[in-house]
Amino acid sequence: MNARVLLLLLWPFAASAQGFAGLGTETDGFATPQSPAIFDFPTDHGPHADYRIEWWYLTANLQAADGAPYGLQWTLFRTALAPEQGAGWSSPQLWMGHAAVTTPDMHYVTERLARGGIGQAGVTADPFEAWIDDWQLTGPDFDRLTMTASGPDFAYDMNLTATGPLIFHGNNGYSVKSAEGQASYYYSQPSYTIEGTLTLPDGDVDVTGTAWLDREWSSQPLSDDQTGWDWFSLSLDTGKLMGFRLRQTDGTVYTSATWITPDGQTTAYPDGAFNADPLSTATVDGRTIPTRWRVTLPDRNVDVTVAAINDQAWMQTSVPYWEGPITVTGTHTGVGYLEMTGYE
Amino acid sequence: MTRAGLHALLSHWWRNPMQLFTLVVGLSLATALWSGVQAVNAEARASYDAAAATLGEGQFAQMTSDAGMIQQADYIKLRRAGWLVSPVVEGRLDGVRLIGLDPLTAPNGLGPVDLSDGELTVDVLTGGVFFATQDTLDRLSDYNVTLVPSPDVAPGVILTDVGTAQRLLDMDGFLSRLIVASAQPVNQAPLADVAPDLTVRTPQNGTDVARLTDSFHLNLTAFGLLSFAVGIFIVHGAIGLAFEQRRPVIRTLRALGFPLRRLVALIAVELLALSLIAGAIGVGLGYLIAAALLPDVAATISGLYGASVSGTLQLRPEWWLSGLLIAVGGTGMAAATSLFQLARMPLLASARPRAWAMQAGRGRLYQAALAVGLLILAALLGAFGSGLIAGFGMLAALLIGAALALPVVLDRVLAFGSSRAKSVIAEWFWADTRQQLPGLSLALMALLLAMAANVGVSTMVSSFRLTFTGFLDQRLASEFYVYADDADQAAALQTFLTSRVDKVLPIQSADQDIRGLASEIYGPTAHATYRENWLFLQSAPDAWPRIEAGEGAAINEQLARRGDIAIGDTITIAGQPFVVLGIYGDYGNTIGQVIVTETLFNTLFPDIRALRFGLRMDPADVPALSAELRDSFGLAESNMINQAGIKAFSLDVFERTFTVTGALNVLTLAVAGFAILMSLLTLATMRLPQLAPVWAQGLTRARLGRIEIIRAVLLALLTAALALPLGLALAWTLLAVVNVEAFGWRLPMYLFPLAYLRLAVFAVIAAVLAALWPARKLARTRPADLLKVFSNER
């Protein structure tokens, strides 16, 4: 019995009988998102312990001086075992960090786990600091951040600067996830410029690019009949697009999307406006995973093909999933990140 | 046809139930001893595995603090500096070892504990759950935690969450040690910058409990194997005789056109079935033996080596399978010759059971040559061989050679007796005994091996006991030992104690590699205690005075042997050269040890302060001082060791060892006695033609019976006389060859004449008991049957 299996059971984000990762469980005693969403910054950059799950999720599309593409992920998850609070070791708050670097032919990934209440991991809002062990995402405010992570075979050290405003998804940050009304609070900073150094087995690589930070918290974001999701964040020549589809046990999907103009204006799209259809699959860790997609948002004349830079961007962590950089071609061109969960 | 053939073959057993009994019982007993010993071994090993899995020792490096405990804040600092370490909180609760781990960061999670129940896991992390064997849980008072019986947790250990452990042990904010994960990130601050007080101890083989206890298991296994060999002698005899007696049946079957190949196959199947049945009975008996022995073995091992073994037996597939396999394999070995002969037998060969019994005599010259060859090989291996394999090779050559030599030697002795005989009856007695020898030789070889094993193992165990208690006297020379929790307490203790006892002897040590071998450096205070009690195996002249003058160091035997260091050689301690002036015995220790003076030690390791103290005082005052220390310093019982207590405990451990060896002694002798009984019974019916003429000439049946018993006693005594030197050679090999190769130190060998005498008496009693029934049968043979011999010659 190792921590991996243990986490699989504990983490609401883990595969279980009910929905992907037990996300479709009851909220018993935890707070639930309410509409309209009212945010209070910088406080809301910090943790919301009375909600069951929460994450600070950063992905970046990078380029080295020689033009080689790289992908980078830095994620801190929080989960609460119980709505009650406890101090020290008996705190019900658990933290999980995932870090990855993707190259066209390699995918480096590592994971950290920590108990809340002892200082090993946590988030403070002002000044902003999110950490687990030696990994950090920190800065005087949310617009200027430094980011570090390290694993047995890689490390990175990055500086991020926001070039646009925060983006609120769904109804001003109240993001509905199913026809029954399950929802989460969801906002992003999709416009960071990023530069820094990747430490890889072959040596250090200086890189620059763009990064996208997602903030989301909830207590029960999935409906019981939803099994997983495919999530896209695309930085296109004429704007940015966040879109996801939640797969349901009956084969249908529930979709949602946000179109972001270059000056930060957003349009939220309800179920059905955004489409993503697999074009081809790859065998990853013994599973069949779609790694080329046709993504459309007819309202914005978006009809693009999305392809993984590296098919094998498998996150072999306590809760395994696919997460990697993509390229976009078609009516629009650009780069982005794709996350796929619940593929058994 | 197959059915008829099988029926004909099996009918032999109906007509000779005693032979079937011999075969099945012999094989069962052999298997029982083997599998019983294996069961004990398997159980003990499983317990160590559980312990290893529980603690993660040996596998991972550990981080410890010289101050004793580690601040939790330092743990967080380390994690935040990129050190993948995991906290451990250890202590005692109701005398049980409590280990708290953090399942999220521990490299092995909660060890063997199954956390597949999500709700239970939440309780582990936020409430309080104890995982331990039922035995252990039963010993605990109520701590308001959930108790989960977990058979795979090491005995005497509770596993729990680190937070729960901190709370119950009153260690909030402190950790006992940190486990260092094997894979560390690429970016990591140097340890000296983050937590300079902490040191990393690399995983050492020396801390591996299993290695320590291997010596004990080695002895048990040797015992089991010998017992099995004894049993196989019986089986070999029974099968050979059965084949011989069935020759008429086989001849008839073949004459009727039964194919030879099918016949051989039928017999092989029959033997397989018999061996499986006997093997199953043996495994069952073995389980009973193991169940009876295990509590004592468990206590012995935990006492000797501090390794806890569960006192309950579980049916492990590895040992009952191995028991069945060895029963089938042993039968196969014993039957191979007979089956081979059957396959090559001329169609009309007649049965010659008597000739079969005498057959062993024919190849005597060849056998003698082989025996001499094997004994020479054993001597050569002893003189020039090296390595564990050579040690075991020597044991095997010695035992087989001696067993083969036995009939030859006995024959010469009996021939000598015969030549000295004064009366006719005496001459007949010697000649008749000699003539019976071939038929009895297998049983006597079994007796020889059983006795030799007993002499060998009891010599070894007793030598170990003497050496070890002597060693305890030497090492635990002080009357009372006190352990401080930290440097401050140590300083306070030292001041407090100095005025109350005759002499306070600080015991300070540092870990350092000597010639690449993990070692501890000790710096004892110069005191008569050491001069008087520490005896050197080898030393330079005036070793103690010179060591006390700081001219050199003393090292233990392990270091001397492994590092190939002799008196006068130089070793390097803390960068400085030291001449080795003495080598001392250090039994049971797995790593090297070096002794220098206190002054030198303080110069070499200025940062290390003694946390342990030996106190020379009036033993009568120990209880009072102990109570005072508990009240004024809050010292726990585990921080104080009364020397008398340790010695009593050690002796108790050896008493238990003796119980185990004693039980095995009796069992092997019983098996050998059974072999003699069966051989005598077999011979009894065949011998009538030889006894009838003696009876006809006037020797009464009762007297013939008495002579039978005398003969058994004589043969047992002769065998015992030969078993003694063989057993001593066996003991010497175990102590001076195998032990040195396996563990790096040589045990001095002591002799125990009284024990050997007792053993000889047992052997004679076994032989008399075995001869009693055949003798009685002979004494009661109807005169008519004896007369028949003359009218019914074959």
Side-chain angles (χ1 to χ4, degrees):
Chain A
M1 184 74 203
N2 59 20
R4 239 188 78 102
V5 187
L6 179 148
L7 255 288
L8 201 63
L9 291 148
L10 277 190
W11 212 266
F13 186 62
S16 84
Q18 274 199 331
F20 173 71
L23 283 185
T25 46
E26 293 303 312
T27 54
D28 39 32
F30 289 100
T32 49
Q34 303 296 325
S35 179
I38 300 162
F39 293 100
D40 172 21
F41 293 112
T43 311
D44 276 328
H45 293 319
H48 302 80
D50 46 345
Y51 290 79
R52 195 201 296 266
I53 50 158
E54 181 161 20
W55 55 68
W56 293 255
Y57 209 119
L58 191 140
T59 51
N61 292 96
L62 304 168
Q63 214 170 23
D66 62 359
Y70 292 88
L72 174 152
Q73 181 193 346
W74 190 104
T75 312
L76 185 61
F77 300 94
R78 178 192 62 79
T79 186
L81 299 176
E84 305 85 40
Q85 300 307 312
W89 291 102
S90 60
S91 160
Q93 303 288 331
L94 303 185
W95 298 85
M96 172 165 76
H98 287 175
V101 169
T102 313
T103 74
D105 42 83
M106 289 301 290
H107 181 70
Y108 304 97
V109 55
T110 187
E111 175 179 56
R112 299 291 176 84
L113 301 169
R115 305 272 285 272
I118 54 164
Q120 189 191 340
V123 176
T124 59
D126 190 19
F128 181 77
E129 186 181 14
W131 78 94
I132 182 164
D133 294 338
D134 53 323
W135 304 3
Q136 292 195 64
L137 182 63
T138 177
D141 56 55
F142 216 58
D143 288 345
R144 288 166 294 161
L145 299 172
T146 58
M147 177 173 72
T148 58
S150 65
D153 46 8
F154 77 99
Y156 52 72
D157 192 344
M158 297 285 156
N159 290 306
L160 300 116
T161 312
T163 57
L166 292 178
I167 297 302
F168 297 86
H169 300 285
N171 183 9
N172 289 322
Y174 180 81
S175 169
V176 178
K177 303 292 195 218
S178 78
E180 291 99 81
Q182 274 85 2
S184 66
Y185 290 123
Y186 183 11
Y187 67 87
S188 305
Q189 172 48 274
S191 323
Y192 282 115
T193 57
I194 177 170
E195 48 86 21
T197 307
L198 303 173
T199 302
L200 298 175
D202 292 337
D204 286 1
V205 185
D206 288 331
V207 288
T208 56
T210 58
W212 180 307
L213 176 69
D214 267 354
R215 282 280 292 122
E216 191 158 10
W217 66 96
S218 179
S219 292
Q220 187 222 19
L222 285 201
S223 170
D224 280 356
D225 61 357
Q226 292 176 330
T227 57
W229 65 78
D230 308 301
W231 174 92
F232 300 82
S233 65
L234 310 179
S235 297
L236 306 174
D237 39 15
T238 59
K240 293 176 192 292
L241 171 63
M242 185 288 295
F244 60 82
R245 59 168 214 161
L246 290 156
R247 302 190 303 278
Q248 297 171 144
T249 42
D250 61 2
T252 61
V253 294
Y254 179 92
T255 66
S256 175
T258 305
W259 177 262
I260 307 158
T261 62
D263 62 353
Q265 300 296 311
T266 61
T267 313
Y269 289 95
D271 183 19
F274 167 87
N275 294 300
D277 300 301
L279 293 176
S280 65
T281 59
T283 303
V284 182
D285 191 45
R287 308 153 201 243
T288 305
I289 307 244
T291 48
R292 275 183 78 241
W293 294 75
R294 179 180 177 208
V295 170
T296 57
L297 183 64
D299 190 57
R300 292 279 167 181
N301 295 320
V302 174
D303 186 347
V304 292
T305 299
V306 157
I309 287 176
N310 180 348
D311 285 351
Q312 305 295 318
W314 186 246
M315 298 296 289
Q316 191 61 59
T317 44
S318 302
V319 184
Y321 56 99
W322 196 100
E323 175 96 40
I326 46 178
T327 54
V328 185
T329 51
T331 55
H332 298 68
T333 56
V335 291
Y337 244 80
L338 167 60
E339 173 178 284
M340 296 178 282
T341 66
Y343 285 92
E344 291 306 321
Chain B
M1 187 166 67
T2 306
R3 209 172 139 194
L6 188 64
H7 191 259
L9 282 175
L10 287 180
S11 70
H12 171 80
W13 301 117
W14 298 125
R15 279 181 288 117
N16 297 282
M18 191 51 94
Q19 231 173 65
L20 180 65
F21 178 74
T22 313
L23 183 66
V24 172
V25 171
L27 195 53
S28 303
L29 283 177
T31 313
L33 279 175
W34 165 258
S35 61
V37 167
Q38 288 310 305
V40 171
N41 276 345
E43 193 61 41
R45 291 232 162 82
S47 287
Y48 309 143
D49 288 348
T54 304
L55 313 176
E57 311 264 27
Q59 193 185 349
F60 296 102
Q62 309 272 324
M63 216 179 261
T64 52
S65 165
D66 290 339
M69 287 203 281
I70 298 176
Q71 304 262 0
Q72 188 169 307
D74 281 346
Y75 163 63
I76 300 299
K77 262 163 72 183
L78 280 165
R79 291 286 317 192
R80 297 214 56 187
W83 281 85
L84 294 188
V85 288
S86 183
V88 182
V89 167
E90 270 177 307
R92 294 211 160 252
L93 212 59
D94 296 339
V96 174
R97 189 168 170 206
L98 180 73
I99 302 177
L101 302 171
D102 174 21
L104 261 59
T105 52
N108 283 340
L110 267 194
V113 167
D114 180 14
L115 289 180
S116 54
D117 178 346
E119 270 182 41
L120 177 68
T121 308
V122 172
D123 200 13
V124 169
L125 296 178
T126 58
V129 180
F130 280 179
F131 297 93
T133 59
Q134 189 63 53
D135 277 4
T136 309
L137 292 177
D138 290 345
R139 281 149 64 187
L140 299 173
S141 37
D142 185 16
Y143 289 98
N144 193 23
V145 292
T146 310
L147 303 180
V148 179
S150 314
D152 291 330
V153 174
V157 168
I158 309 166
L159 272 186
T160 190
D161 181 63
V162 59
T164 312
Q166 269 189 347
R167 178 161 55 84
L168 293 172
L169 296 170
D170 214 4
M171 276 176 67
D172 279 346
F174 290 97
L175 305 168
S176 307
R177 58 189 167 87
L178 303 175
I179 304 171
V180 184
S182 30
Q184 295 286 329
V186 290
N187 286 349
Q188 199 175 51
L191 184 60
D193 294 353
V194 187
D197 297 344
L198 302 189
T199 45
V200 177
R201 193 183 276 261
T202 50
Q204 278 178 1
N205 292 333
T207 57
D208 193 351
V209 196
R211 260 181 71 86
L212 267 174
T213 47
D214 269 352
S215 71
F216 195 82
H217 293 303
L218 197 67
N219 302 339
L220 282 179
T221 306
F223 227 128
L225 209 54
L226 277 170
S227 312
F228 186 75
V230 168
I232 288 305
F233 275 104
I234 303 176
V235 177
H236 186 266
I239 291 179
L241 185 61
F243 265 85
E244 219 36 58
Q245 289 180 339
R246 282 201 282 191
R247 277 201 186 198
V249 178
I250 291 165
R251 188 180 53 198
T252 313
L253 281 173
R254 290 200 56 198
L256 288 170
F258 201 92
L260 176 67
R261 194 169 291 192
R262 195 180 301 174
L263 198 60
V264 173
L266 270 184
I267 293 181
V269 169
E270 173 202 75
L271 285 175
L272 178 68
L274 275 176
S275 62
L276 281 178
I277 293 169
I281 298 174
V283 169
L285 282 174
Y287 182 81
L288 293 181
I289 293 175
L293 289 182
L294 194 63
D296 285 319
V297 171
T300 302
I301 291 174
S302 73
L304 268 181
Y305 305 106
S308 207
V309 173
S310 170
T312 51
L313 198 64
Q314 291 173 31
L315 275 169
R316 290 179 195 279
E318 63 258 35
W319 76 261
W320 63 255
L321 265 179
S322 85
L324 279 184
L325 274 180
I326 199 150
V328 172
T331 311
M333 243 161 55
T337 355
S338 301
L339 274 174
F340 184 67
Q341 277 173 359
L342 172 67
R344 292 180 31 178
M345 192 173 77
L347 184 59
L348 293 178
S350 65
R352 296 175 306 167
R354 165 102 201 128
W356 171 83
M358 296 301 119
Q359 171 211 19
R362 281 199 296 275
R364 186 165 299 161
L365 204 65
Y366 169 70
Q367 190 178 332
L370 189 62
V372 171
L374 281 170
L375 290 175
I376 291 175
L377 176 68
L380 287 178
L381 280 173
F384 304 111
S386 71
L388 209 50
I389 303 292
F392 280 113
M394 179 186 166
L395 275 184
L398 185 67
L399 289 175
I400 300 171
L404 289 178
L406 178 75
V408 185
V409 174
L410 283 182
D411 187 65
R412 293 331 302 157
V413 173
L414 293 174
F416 176 77
S418 182
S419 70
R420 290 299 185 89
K422 294 282 190 308
S423 71
V424 178
I425 291 179
E427 201 167 336
W428 171 78
F429 171 79
W430 287 109
D432 188 53
T433 307
R434 212 180 144 193
Q435 202 248 356
Q436 273 199 70
L437 201 54
L440 279 173
S441 65
L442 277 178
L444 291 176
M445 284 183 197
L447 182 65
L448 177 81
L449 288 186
M451 287 194 64
N454 287 341
V455 169
V457 175
S458 36
T459 302
M460 190 189 68
V461 171
S462 303
S463 297
F464 192 35
R465 168 193 163 115
L466 272 185
T467 311
F468 204 77
T469 46
F471 167 71
L472 286 179
D473 281 338
Q474 166 184 331
R475 279 309 171 82
L476 299 176
S478 297
E479 281 74 20
F480 193 41
Y481 290 83
V482 178
Y483 298 74
D485 288 326
D486 53 54
D488 292 343
Q489 192 183 41
L493 270 176
Q494 195 165 4
T495 322
F496 174 81
L497 290 167
T498 308
S499 59
R500 286 172 201 251
V501 299
D502 299 342
K503 179 77 185 169
V504 178
L505 302 172
I507 302 167
Q508 45 194 358
S509 69
D511 295 326
Q512 202 205 298
D513 285 3
I514 301 286
R515 297 205 179 175
L517 301 163
S519 305
E520 297 168 304
I521 320 294
Y522 276 86
T525 309
H527 188 257
T529 304
Y530 297 104
R531 279 194 300 277
E532 286 162 9
N533 291 296
W534 285 54
L535 302 174
F536 287 124
L537 299 176
Q538 296 166 42
S539 63
D542 299 325
W544 269 122
R546 288 177 63 192
I547 290 170
E548 284 177 13
E551 288 174 33
I555 62 173
N556 68 354
E557 188 190 2
Q558 284 84 321
L559 187 57
R561 283 187 190 273
R562 292 198 186 129
D564 200 17
I565 304 170
I567 299 291
D569 286 2
T570 306
I571 55 172
T572 311
I573 307 168
Q576 296 195 32
F578 283 88
V579 181
V580 174
L581 295 174
I583 296 171
Y584 53 89
D586 189 10
Y587 309 103
N589 191 356
T590 49
I591 64 171
Q593 207 178 68
V594 180
I595 287 182
V596 295
T597 61
E598 187 185 17
T599 331
L600 266 177
F601 185 90
N602 291 337
T603 326
L604 295 170
F605 305 99
D607 297 336
I608 292 182
R609 293 275 165 274
L611 293 178
R612 292 180 280 168
F613 302 95
L615 308 178
R616 297 309 310 259
M617 57 189 293
D618 185 346
D621 296 338
V622 168
L625 181 65
S626 166
E628 206 176 338
L629 286 173
R630 195 168 39 238
D631 297 340
S632 344
F633 285 86
L635 273 192
E637 283 300 332
S638 56
N639 287 31
M640 298 182 279
I641 292 174
N642 186 345
Q643 176 238 43
I646 290 193
K647 276 188 193 158
F649 176 72
S650 308
L651 288 177
D652 183 47
V653 165
F654 281 111
E655 289 319 314
R656 289 174 187 279
T657 317
F658 282 121
T659 321
V660 177
T661 27
L664 286 174
N665 274 350
V666 169
L667 283 170
T668 31
L669 273 181
V671 174
F674 182 77
I676 297 176
L677 169 69
M678 288 304 139
S679 304
L680 287 175
L681 279 178
T682 311
L683 287 178
T685 39
M686 295 184 220
R687 289 186 63 231
L688 232 45
Q690 279 134 35
L691 291 173
V694 188
W695 168 74
Q697 284 166 37
L699 223 56
T700 61
R701 288 173 299 158
R703 185 141 182 228
L704 279 176
R706 280 199 295 280
I707 288 177
E708 284 295 296
I709 292 179
I710 293 171
R711 190 195 328 272
V713 171
L714 175 78
L715 288 175
L717 278 177
L718 285 176
T719 309
L722 289 171
L724 183 61
L726 179 62
L728 294 181
L730 180 70
W732 182 82
T733 314
L734 284 174
L735 293 173
V737 180
V738 175
N739 216 57
V740 173
E741 292 300 340
F743 313 111
W745 74 89
R746 178 180 179 153
L747 276 171
M749 182 163 153
Y750 297 95
L751 298 180
F752 306 89
L754 268 181
Y756 306 146
L757 193 65
R758 197 169 54 222
L759 194 62
V761 171
F762 282 150
V764 169
I765 290 173
V768 169
L769 284 177
L772 216 52
W773 186 15
R776 196 179 131 93
K777 229 171 118 183
L778 177 63
R780 299 229 172 138
T781 310
R782 286 184 307 159
D785 287 339
L786 286 166
L787 280 173
K788 260 188 221 158
V789 168
F790 300 102
S791 63
N792 187 25
E793 284 202 80
R794 289 199 310 151

